[in-house]
Amino acid sequence: MYSIDTDFPVDSIPSGTNLLITGPPMTGKYDLLVELLADSYRYDERAVFITTQKSPDQIHADFAAGLGVDSVTDLGIVDCAGQERSGKHADDEHIRSVSSPADLTGIGMASSELIETFGDRGHRVRTGLSSLSQLLMYADVKTVFRFLHILTGRISSADGLGLCTLDSDVHDDQTVNTVKQLFDGAIETRNEGDDSRAFRVLGLPDADDRWIDF
């Protein structure tokens, strides 16, 4: 079980679970993903973050801010934003660079390597991907489905926790429903008025579907 300190309708999530964080753009999916992954630092776990847009420096800063600390260590990052690595984490051994979000094979190999590295050191691993919508800009849904089938299977077999974000309003219903098949449950997000957001959890044991502000 993976313990959750974030305000959540359950205290823990079963090992081997993959969840899809889905909702319209600008409804806090990325922020929620970071919160759920950053909880790993409270339980001697590790996190692997697959980023299609943000730099490793930004990911590190967001994790540190969420935890209320100056910095974090041992954060695995698969950087497929296609930018030249720079900044204070340029030489970080836990960062893998992939040429672009189109290189799904490279993303899969890099993430599996990091998951295995942390697992061999005795740590359980939470893996997050932001975002599937970027991958779907570079590849058709069948190709992304095959990639996700391998990634979610790898996470499940390692008794990990997987979390992926998807901008639901950007894609047609068939695409969204195809992607959803590979996940054990979903976290839906929405805006609540002008200055608040909410989420609800679907598909997890003992979790009700009430909307929670965050």
PDB file of all heavy atoms in Angstrom, residues 125-142:
ATOM      1  N   VAL A 125       8.612   2.554  -5.629  1.00  0.00           N
ATOM      2  CA  VAL A 125       8.709   3.671  -6.570  1.00  0.00           C
ATOM      3  C   VAL A 125       7.327   4.129  -7.029  1.00  0.00           C
ATOM      4  O   VAL A 125       6.483   3.322  -7.409  1.00  0.00           O
ATOM      5  CB  VAL A 125       9.544   3.273  -7.805  1.00  0.00           C
ATOM      6  CG1 VAL A 125       9.701   4.468  -8.749  1.00  0.00           C
ATOM      7  CG2 VAL A 125      10.923   2.741  -7.388  1.00  0.00           C
ATOM      8  N   ARG A 126       7.142   5.446  -6.992  1.00  0.00           N
ATOM      9  CA  ARG A 126       5.972   6.078  -7.592  1.00  0.00           C
ATOM     10  C   ARG A 126       6.420   6.713  -8.908  1.00  0.00           C
ATOM     11  O   ARG A 126       7.418   7.426  -8.933  1.00  0.00           O
ATOM     12  CB  ARG A 126       5.396   7.163  -6.672  1.00  0.00           C
ATOM     13  CG  ARG A 126       5.089   6.672  -5.265  1.00  0.00           C
ATOM     14  CD  ARG A 126       4.453   7.759  -4.419  1.00  0.00           C
ATOM     15  NE  ARG A 126       4.341   7.336  -3.022  1.00  0.00           N
ATOM     16  CZ  ARG A 126       3.423   7.775  -2.176  1.00  0.00           C
ATOM     17  NH1 ARG A 126       2.528   8.664  -2.567  1.00  0.00           N
ATOM     18  NH2 ARG A 126       3.390   7.342  -0.925  1.00  0.00           N
ATOM     19  N   THR A 127       5.679   6.445  -9.974  1.00  0.00           N
ATOM     20  CA  THR A 127       6.042   6.953 -11.302  1.00  0.00           C
ATOM     21  C   THR A 127       4.931   7.841 -11.834  1.00  0.00           C
ATOM     22  O   THR A 127       3.754   7.474 -11.792  1.00  0.00           O
ATOM     23  CB  THR A 127       6.271   5.790 -12.280  1.00  0.00           C
ATOM     24  OG1 THR A 127       7.302   4.942 -11.772  1.00  0.00           O
ATOM     25  CG2 THR A 127       6.682   6.301 -13.655  1.00  0.00           C
ATOM     26  N   GLY A 128       5.299   9.029 -12.322  1.00  0.00           N
ATOM     27  CA  GLY A 128       4.323   9.948 -12.883  1.00  0.00           C
ATOM     28  C   GLY A 128       4.700  10.386 -14.282  1.00  0.00           C
ATOM     29  O   GLY A 128       5.889  10.490 -14.617  1.00  0.00           O
ATOM     30  N   LEU A 129       3.696  10.639 -15.110  1.00  0.00           N
ATOM     31  CA  LEU A 129       3.917  11.110 -16.476  1.00  0.00           C
ATOM     32  C   LEU A 129       3.036  12.328 -16.731  1.00  0.00           C
ATOM     33  O   LEU A 129       1.821  12.268 -16.555  1.00  0.00           O
ATOM     34  CB  LEU A 129       3.592  10.006 -17.481  1.00  0.00           C
ATOM     35  CG  LEU A 129       3.997  10.228 -18.948  1.00  0.00           C
ATOM     36  CD1 LEU A 129       4.039   8.894 -19.691  1.00  0.00           C
ATOM     37  CD2 LEU A 129       3.057  11.173 -19.688  1.00  0.00           C
ATOM     38  N   SER A 130       3.662  13.410 -17.148  1.00  0.00           N
ATOM     39  CA  SER A 130       2.934  14.640 -17.494  1.00  0.00           C
ATOM     40  C   SER A 130       3.458  15.147 -18.853  1.00  0.00           C
ATOM     41  O   SER A 130       4.589  15.604 -18.943  1.00  0.00           O
ATOM     42  CB  SER A 130       3.166  15.694 -16.412  1.00  0.00           C
ATOM     43  OG  SER A 130       2.556  16.916 -16.744  1.00  0.00           O
ATOM     44  N   SER A 131       2.693  15.027 -19.938  1.00  0.00           N
ATOM     45  CA  SER A 131       1.346  14.499 -19.921  1.00  0.00           C
ATOM     46  C   SER A 131       1.138  13.618 -21.154  1.00  0.00           C
ATOM     47  O   SER A 131       1.846  13.752 -22.159  1.00  0.00           O
ATOM     48  CB  SER A 131       0.327  15.646 -19.923  1.00  0.00           C
ATOM     49  OG  SER A 131       0.216  16.219 -21.220  1.00  0.00           O
ATOM     50  N   LEU A 132       0.107  12.774 -21.057  1.00  0.00           N
ATOM     51  CA  LEU A 132      -0.238  11.912 -22.181  1.00  0.00           C
ATOM     52  C   LEU A 132      -0.724  12.734 -23.377  1.00  0.00           C
ATOM     53  O   LEU A 132      -0.568  12.309 -24.526  1.00  0.00           O
ATOM     54  CB  LEU A 132      -1.325  10.920 -21.760  1.00  0.00           C
ATOM     55  CG  LEU A 132      -0.904   9.842 -20.765  1.00  0.00           C
ATOM     56  CD1 LEU A 132      -2.110   9.018 -20.341  1.00  0.00           C
ATOM     57  CD2 LEU A 132       0.162   8.933 -21.385  1.00  0.00           C
ATOM     58  N   SER A 133      -1.297  13.877 -23.129  1.00  0.00           N
ATOM     59  CA  SER A 133      -1.773  14.719 -24.225  1.00  0.00           C
ATOM     60  C   SER A 133      -0.620  15.152 -25.123  1.00  0.00           C
ATOM     61  O   SER A 133      -0.776  15.261 -26.348  1.00  0.00           O
ATOM     62  CB  SER A 133      -2.512  15.940 -23.678  1.00  0.00           C
ATOM     63  OG  SER A 133      -3.708  15.540 -23.043  1.00  0.00           O
ATOM     64  N   GLN A 134       0.544  15.392 -24.538  1.00  0.00           N
ATOM     65  CA  GLN A 134       1.721  15.727 -25.345  1.00  0.00           C
ATOM     66  C   GLN A 134       2.143  14.546 -26.208  1.00  0.00           C
ATOM     67  O   GLN A 134       2.484  14.704 -27.377  1.00  0.00           O
ATOM     68  CB  GLN A 134       2.878  16.154 -24.441  1.00  0.00           C
ATOM     69  CG  GLN A 134       2.791  17.567 -23.931  1.00  0.00           C
ATOM     70  CD  GLN A 134       2.947  18.583 -25.044  1.00  0.00           C
ATOM     71  OE1 GLN A 134       2.009  19.313 -25.357  1.00  0.00           O
ATOM     72  NE2 GLN A 134       4.115  18.633 -25.654  1.00  0.00           N
ATOM     73  N   LEU A 135       2.124  13.352 -25.632  1.00  0.00           N
ATOM     74  CA  LEU A 135       2.492  12.163 -26.414  1.00  0.00           C
ATOM     75  C   LEU A 135       1.539  11.975 -27.583  1.00  0.00           C
ATOM     76  O   LEU A 135       1.953  11.582 -28.684  1.00  0.00           O
ATOM     77  CB  LEU A 135       2.484  10.917 -25.529  1.00  0.00           C
ATOM     78  CG  LEU A 135       3.401  10.899 -24.300  1.00  0.00           C
ATOM     79  CD1 LEU A 135       3.405   9.507 -23.680  1.00  0.00           C
ATOM     80  CD2 LEU A 135       4.813  11.334 -24.649  1.00  0.00           C
ATOM     81  N   LEU A 136       0.257  12.271 -27.359  1.00  0.00           N
ATOM     82  CA  LEU A 136      -0.751  12.089 -28.406  1.00  0.00           C
ATOM     83  C   LEU A 136      -0.652  13.150 -29.494  1.00  0.00           C
ATOM     84  O   LEU A 136      -1.299  13.027 -30.542  1.00  0.00           O
ATOM     85  CB  LEU A 136      -2.148  12.101 -27.787  1.00  0.00           C
ATOM     86  CG  LEU A 136      -2.503  10.837 -26.987  1.00  0.00           C
ATOM     87  CD1 LEU A 136      -3.701  11.086 -26.078  1.00  0.00           C
ATOM     88  CD2 LEU A 136      -2.781   9.663 -27.931  1.00  0.00           C
ATOM     89  N   MET A 137       0.150  14.169 -29.288  1.00  0.00           N
ATOM     90  CA  MET A 137       0.428  15.135 -30.341  1.00  0.00           C
ATOM     91  C   MET A 137       1.447  14.595 -31.336  1.00  0.00           C
ATOM     92  O   MET A 137       1.529  15.053 -32.481  1.00  0.00           O
ATOM     93  CB  MET A 137       0.943  16.456 -29.742  1.00  0.00           C
ATOM     94  CG  MET A 137      -0.077  17.245 -28.957  1.00  0.00           C
ATOM     95  SD  MET A 137       0.623  18.740 -28.215  1.00  0.00           S
ATOM     96  CE  MET A 137       1.177  19.637 -29.672  1.00  0.00           C
ATOM     97  N   TYR A 138       2.249  13.616 -30.866  1.00  0.00           N
ATOM     98  CA  TYR A 138       3.334  13.089 -31.689  1.00  0.00           C
ATOM     99  C   TYR A 138       3.052  11.694 -32.233  1.00  0.00           C
ATOM    100  O   TYR A 138       3.727  11.242 -33.164  1.00  0.00           O
ATOM    101  CB  TYR A 138       4.623  13.032 -30.863  1.00  0.00           C
ATOM    102  CG  TYR A 138       5.199  14.387 -30.536  1.00  0.00           C
ATOM    103  CD1 TYR A 138       4.776  15.098 -29.420  1.00  0.00           C
ATOM    104  CD2 TYR A 138       6.178  14.960 -31.333  1.00  0.00           C
ATOM    105  CE1 TYR A 138       5.301  16.349 -29.109  1.00  0.00           C
ATOM    106  CE2 TYR A 138       6.717  16.202 -31.041  1.00  0.00           C
ATOM    107  CZ  TYR A 138       6.275  16.887 -29.928  1.00  0.00           C
ATOM    108  OH  TYR A 138       6.799  18.119 -29.638  1.00  0.00           O
ATOM    109  N   ALA A 139       2.102  10.990 -31.665  1.00  0.00           N
ATOM    110  CA  ALA A 139       1.820   9.614 -32.079  1.00  0.00           C
ATOM    111  C   ALA A 139       0.322   9.360 -32.010  1.00  0.00           C
ATOM    112  O   ALA A 139      -0.397  10.005 -31.244  1.00  0.00           O
ATOM    113  CB  ALA A 139       2.572   8.629 -31.176  1.00  0.00           C
ATOM    114  N   ASP A 140      -0.145   8.401 -32.808  1.00  0.00           N
ATOM    115  CA  ASP A 140      -1.572   8.093 -32.786  1.00  0.00           C
ATOM    116  C   ASP A 140      -1.923   7.304 -31.532  1.00  0.00           C
ATOM    117  O   ASP A 140      -1.048   6.816 -30.812  1.00  0.00           O
ATOM    118  CB  ASP A 140      -1.994   7.336 -34.048  1.00  0.00           C
ATOM    119  CG  ASP A 140      -1.261   6.017 -34.231  1.00  0.00           C
ATOM    120  OD1 ASP A 140      -1.178   5.219 -33.273  1.00  0.00           O
ATOM    121  OD2 ASP A 140      -0.759   5.774 -35.344  1.00  0.00           O
ATOM    122  N   VAL A 141      -3.219   7.186 -31.278  1.00  0.00           N
ATOM    123  CA  VAL A 141      -3.671   6.597 -30.022  1.00  0.00           C
ATOM    124  C   VAL A 141      -3.259   5.129 -29.907  1.00  0.00           C
ATOM    125  O   VAL A 141      -2.956   4.647 -28.803  1.00  0.00           O
ATOM    126  CB  VAL A 141      -5.194   6.774 -29.861  1.00  0.00           C
ATOM    127  CG1 VAL A 141      -5.959   5.999 -30.916  1.00  0.00           C
ATOM    128  CG2 VAL A 141      -5.645   6.378 -28.460  1.00  0.00           C
ATOM    129  N   LYS A 142      -3.195   4.395 -31.010  1.00  0.00           N
ATOM    130  CA  LYS A 142      -2.792   2.992 -30.943  1.00  0.00           C
ATOM    131  C   LYS A 142      -1.344   2.858 -30.499  1.00  0.00           C
ATOM    132  O   LYS A 142      -1.004   1.974 -29.703  1.00  0.00           O
ATOM    133  CB  LYS A 142      -2.993   2.320 -32.300  1.00  0.00           C
ATOM    134  CG  LYS A 142      -4.451   2.133 -32.693  1.00  0.00           C
ATOM    135  CD  LYS A 142      -4.567   1.393 -34.016  1.00  0.00           C
ATOM    136  CE  LYS A 142      -6.032   1.187 -34.393  1.00  0.00           C
ATOM    137  NZ  LYS A 142      -6.166   0.478 -35.692  1.00  0.00           N
TER     138      LYS A 142
END
